[in-house]
Amino acid sequence: MGFVLLDELSRASADEAAVLLAGADPVELIDAVRSTPDLALVALIERDEILPALTAGIMGRLDDVVEPDALTGITGTARLDLEHRGRLVGHHELRVTDGALGHQVDVPADHPATVVLRTTALRFVRLVSGELNAGLEYLGGTLDIIGDAHLALALGGMFRSARDHGARVDPRALDPVEVAGVLGRVSADHLRSVMASDFRHVVLDEVFRRLPAFVNVRKASGLRLTVGFRITGRPDGEVDRYVVTLADNRATVTSGPAVEALGAEARNATVTCDACDFLRLVTGHIGAVTGVLRGQLKVRGDKTAALRLNSAFDIPTAVA
């Protein structure tokens, strides 16, 4: 039915499209969207009769496609600004009140909201169908988030994943290879903006959480090192602190208040760098030696120890 529906939408009037979308089975519709190439979806979006009906239809059926407990305890308002071919084509509201979802289409451009989300109409459809990760979209500059990033990520996590057997999309689960790919395409200014937002701690915590999985046992053999990281670039002028310990071919990460308990004297070295440079380092876009020589990475203590720690990991790189 889903494929038939999309074919019918390609010829429908605005009123006919509204009726078709209201009566469509949401699961079949999502499956059809996932199986439809971008060019075919763009052809639908570009029909003036279809885009308003399609947007209203999707907004009105969100309750049918989201995970029931996805927004439990969440309250806030999001304004969704949709673009197509560089022009704004609509402003819409999503309201969450202690997990209950509501919506309003065609709100004013200055409609107040806890967070403003701006993306293309095509990517909005792909987000709803669970094909895109809102966290990765934000990091890659294809989703703009202004305001409460935590609310934005909660909304991005209410859809069923197209990849993970129908499990809920987790915008905080950032695949290192995909992160490496998007960082190769974004500007330094955009990355600094992201890493100065509420999303900063999501990215840093995820990077350090996954770090032990990338130890190269052969390269790490015989190494016993403890290196601290001071990540700068926070709007409040403070730094985020992490400590990585390598011993017995395993890495462990300490963060938060526990870092102070370790004591500076236990570290072989401490690396200070901006959050943007740190992300480029751990995704292979700058080398450790180059970063030190350029002053992007400042090392206090044993520089050799810091370089040895870096060399003990297999840095994720983008798939060609």
Side-chain angles (χ1 to χ4, degrees):
M1 175 183 173
F3 299 102
V4 174
L5 173 63
L6 291 182
D7 184 58
E8 291 177 340
L9 282 174
S10 70
R11 302 187 302 273
S13 67
D15 289 341
E16 290 170 339
V19 171
L20 285 169
L21 289 163
D25 179 89
V27 175
E28 291 185 1
L29 177 57
I30 290 296
D31 287 342
V33 167
R34 290 172 177 172
S35 302
T36 302
D38 283 356
L39 285 177
L41 284 179
V42 167
L44 275 178
I45 290 167
E46 288 187 333
R47 292 194 62 211
D48 291 338
E49 304 92 335
I50 295 299
L51 182 56
L54 183 62
T55 305
I58 290 174
M59 300 283 284
R61 303 302 297 275
L62 285 180
D63 277 334
D64 296 322
V65 298
V66 303
E67 289 289 324
D69 62 344
L71 299 173
T72 300
I74 301 295
T75 295
T77 304
R79 193 182 77 227
L80 181 65
D81 294 350
L82 294 183
E83 295 180 337
H84 184 63
R85 297 200 184 279
R87 66 182 181 90
L88 283 167
V89 293
H91 308 276
H92 314 285
E93 180 193 71
L94 279 175
R95 299 183 308 277
V96 186
T97 306
D98 195 20
L101 192 63
H103 77 282
Q104 182 178 349
V105 297
D106 296 327
V107 300
D110 60 352
H111 190 72
T114 312
V115 63
V116 177
L117 310 174
R118 184 166 182 162
T119 191
T120 66
L122 174 62
R123 301 192 88 84
F124 169 64
V125 172
R126 296 296 190 200
L127 283 164
V128 172
S129 62
E131 297 170 89
L132 297 178
N133 180 304
L136 196 65
E137 291 288 293
Y138 181 38
L139 194 59
T142 47
L143 171 66
D144 194 19
I145 298 176
I146 303 171
D148 187 348
H150 294 294
L151 175 59
L153 293 178
L155 292 171
M158 65 184 180
F159 304 112
R160 295 180 179 91
S161 172
R163 300 182 185 182
D164 194 15
H165 307 292
R168 205 162 70 205
V169 175
D170 184 358
R172 293 171 172 80
L174 301 173
D175 179 86
V177 174
E178 291 180 329
V179 170
V182 301
L183 291 189
R185 302 190 296 268
V186 301
S187 68
D189 286 344
H190 169 73
L191 196 52
R192 287 192 186 94
S193 174
V194 170
M195 296 307 289
S197 74
D198 293 341
F199 193 51
R200 171 191 178 93
H201 291 105
V202 172
V203 177
L204 290 178
D205 287 348
E206 183 69 359
V207 167
F208 278 103
R209 182 184 73 82
R210 289 180 179 252
L211 195 62
F214 293 96
V215 172
N216 183 308
V217 174
R218 180 181 59 82
K219 295 177 181 177
S221 179
L223 293 180
R224 299 186 69 85
L225 301 168
T226 298
V227 176
F229 289 86
R230 301 175 70 255
I231 313 297
T232 65
R234 277 174 44 168
D236 61 4
E238 296 296 321
V239 298
D240 293 299
R241 294 176 171 84
Y242 299 83
V243 173
V244 178
T245 300
L246 185 66
D248 301 322
N249 300 337
R250 296 179 57 196
T252 56
V253 176
T254 304
S255 62
V259 169
E260 298 302 326
L262 289 178
E265 67 280 357
R267 303 169 204 166
N268 299 96
T270 299
V271 178
T272 300
C273 61
D274 181 79
C276 301
D277 292 328
F278 173 73
L279 285 187
R280 295 196 184 281
L281 172 70
V282 297
T283 53
H285 291 290
I286 62 172
V289 174
T290 300
V292 170
L293 292 176
R294 290 179 177 174
Q296 295 167 294
L297 310 176
K298 298 179 175 62
V299 181
R300 186 175 71 244
D302 186 348
K303 288 185 173 64
T304 302
L307 294 174
R308 283 180 176 173
L309 178 75
N310 179 77
S311 67
F313 292 89
D314 290 326
I315 300 298
T317 56
V319 175

